[in-house]
Amino acid sequence: MAKTWLPPAEYIATLPRATAYACLYFTDTAGRPFQLRSVYGSEAWQWPGGNMDPGETPWETAVRECHEETGIAYDGEPRLLGAHFLAPCGEDWPANHIGFIFDGGMLDDEQIAAVVLDPEEHTEYRVCTLAEWEREMTPRNFQRLAHIDRARREGAAVYLETAAFI
């Protein structure tokens, strides 16, 4: 079978579709993860972040979304903690979804108290121990949190896969 060269636009049309998100992972000074309660979907707790806009890099997305969702103007350097691949979920989300989780560092009590949420996206924020988060989260989302927390403590990025998401 002879291979035929396709112009880039035609070739790209044959590839799987994908969307991407990026976020910042913060802890308080005691090492407890900081998360936001979303008004969307079944996965209530998440990190400051969101879907990439056209022309934006994952890092730019994480910083922009963090500022929009919390008021935190993060100015640190990019440090990747993990990449996350989520398979399509039928008509609910018919594309791959790829995530980039960056280390946002530690927030002190003053920074946490100054968080201003966008009420159209999040209803509250919390810092909890991993054991407390495990009781609050779905097992799938908690595993992602635990892996990212370990990646930060051990200094090595992780790759995660989720079969399908809603």
Side-chain angles (χ1 to χ4, degrees):
M1 180 160 132
K3 293 187 178 189
T4 305
W5 181 87
L6 293 174
E10 288 180 41
Y11 173 69
I12 289 169
T14 70
L15 298 176
R17 302 240 182 257
T19 60
Y21 77 90
C23 54
L24 288 170
Y25 175 73
F26 293 102
T27 62
D28 68 358
T29 56
R32 298 176 301 178
F34 170 87
Q35 296 197 94
L36 312 174
R37 182 187 289 274
S38 176
V39 299
Y40 305 113
S42 61
E43 301 291 351
W45 293 102
Q46 55 188 226
W47 304 308
N51 289 323
M52 287 175 58
D53 286 345
E56 204 171 40
T57 68
W59 178 245
E60 291 167 338
T61 299
V63 171
R64 174 186 54 78
E65 286 280 349
C66 179
H67 187 258
E68 290 175 2
E69 294 177 353
T70 66
I72 297 170
Y74 187 77
D75 63 356
E77 294 294 317
R79 181 173 167 244
L80 186 66
L81 292 177
H84 184 206
F85 175 84
L86 296 102
C89 188
E91 289 185 21
D92 289 337
W93 196 276
N96 294 318
H97 198 50
I98 300 165
F100 301 88
I101 301 101
F102 295 98
D103 191 352
M106 290 186 287
L107 300 172
D108 63 28
D109 292 343
E110 210 172 273
Q111 291 169 305
I112 293 169
V115 166
V116 176
L117 297 177
D118 175 351
E120 292 186 14
E121 292 195 50
H122 299 97
T123 58
E124 68 177 298
Y125 62 86
R126 281 193 207 163
V127 291
C128 295
T129 65
L130 285 176
E132 291 166 332
W133 280 125
E134 187 171 19
R135 291 189 293 272
E136 289 286 323
M137 300 173 73
T138 64
R140 180 178 74 179
N141 249 17
F142 176 75
Q143 285 305 309
R144 183 177 71 139
L145 169 65
H147 285 294
I148 293 300
D149 187 74
R150 188 179 76 237
R152 184 207 266 152
R153 285 185 283 104
E154 294 178 357
V158 295
Y159 170 73
L160 308 167
E161 286 187 10
T162 302
F165 75 103
I166 297 175

